[in-house]
Each structure stands twice: as C-alpha cells, then as structure tokens.
Amino acid sequence: MSEFPASFSPIQLHNRLNRPVWVGFKMARRGSRQLVMLSAGAESGAKLSKNFETFVGQIVREFKLDPEHTDFVELRREKAGGEGATGSADAHSWFRWHAQWVGSAPMECKADPVTSESARSYLDEVLVQSNAAA
C-alpha cells in the first residue's frame, strides 16, 4: 500500500457502493480533540469526495469516537509532474471536512482547503510522526 504516507495505516472500509476499499488512516490526539487523517491513495473507489459520509460513519462507529470532538482532514497527494508541480513527489494538499452529525451519521458533508500556514504546518508535523493511534 505504498500510495499512503508511511505513518498512515491502511484500513479497509466499504464505499457507498458497498465495495471494500483501502484508505490510509491515522489518528492523533490534541488535548480533548481527536484528529482523524485520511488519504484515498490511488484507488478510485476510495475517493473521499464521493464516500466521506460512508467512510467516517464506519470510523466513528468502529473506534467509538465522539464526532463532536473529532476533526477529520484529508490528505490529497498530487501526482508528480502534474499541473503546477514543482518536481516534488511529495506535493500534497489538506482539506478539512465538516458535517452535521445525527448520532454517528454525518449529513451535509463538505470539505474546505486548509489555507492557514500554521494549520498546514501542524498537519505536516503530525503526518511525519510515526506513532499512529490506529
């Protein structure tokens, strides 16, 4: 599963079509909040933009997380040599996912790019730490 960062653990989830897919997964804690980092990798059936509700519902139930105290972020890795690429194979973007929660079911989900330099720096720091809580 080399398409995920080394500090991520592969986790098998079911997409919206109920097909098993692999997603990169990492959890970290900061104070009273839980941070869940996800990456779809190269598998097209694991795209978070189409499957976020399905994936995080499974994660919240499996790990018994409180969605009100959990932040979900997505790591999107850009292909080297793509538009705007600087030649680095490690080019990536962060997206913070928001949802209205009804119990463990997410509704009205949307992702916003993480634009704050301090937030991106923090996420990059967590990314390289090898102590995933999964």
Side-chain angles (χ1 to χ4, degrees), residues 39-121:
S39 178
E43 197 168 349
S44 64
K47 276 189 152 181
L48 285 162
S49 60
K50 294 184 178 186
N51 295 288
F52 179 79
E53 292 178 18
T54 306
F55 290 163
V56 299
Q58 292 170 64
I59 290 168
V60 164
R61 289 185 295 276
E62 176 71 23
F63 293 96
K64 296 174 179 44
L65 299 175
D66 178 357
E68 297 298 321
H69 292 97
T70 305
D71 297 308
F72 295 93
V73 293
E74 175 188 1
L75 171 69
R76 292 184 191 169
R77 297 176 85 169
E78 283 90 35
K79 292 178 176 35
E83 186 177 328
T86 59
S88 170
D90 293 333
H92 62 270
S93 301
W94 292 104
F95 291 82
R96 184 169 190 275
W97 281 88
H98 307 274
Q100 298 295 319
W101 290 88
V102 178
S104 64
M107 307 285 189
E108 300 178 26
C109 303
K110 66 179 178 116
D112 295 319
V114 176
T115 57
S116 161
E117 192 59 44
S118 61
R120 284 197 316 246
S121 177

Side-chain angles (χ1 to χ4, degrees), residues 2 4 11 21-22 26 33 35 38 46 50 53 58 67 72 75 79 83 108 110 113 116 125 128-129 132:
S2 61
F4 305 125
I11 183 174
V21 294
W22 290 98
K26 182 174 183 172
R33 298 204 57 85
L35 173 66
L38 301 168
K50 294 184 178 186
E53 292 178 18
Q58 292 170 64
F72 295 93
L75 171 69
K79 292 178 176 35
E83 186 177 328
E108 300 178 26
K110 66 179 178 116
S116 161
E125 184 179 310
V128 297
Q129 293 173 354

Side-chain angles (χ1 to χ4, degrees), residues 14-34:
H14 287 83
N15 68 12
R16 62 192 169 89
L17 302 174
N18 202 31
R19 293 193 176 119
V21 294
W22 290 98
V23 174
F25 173 82
K26 182 174 183 172
M27 283 198 308
R29 180 170 292 285
R30 183 176 184 187
S32 65
R33 298 204 57 85
Q34 191 76 27

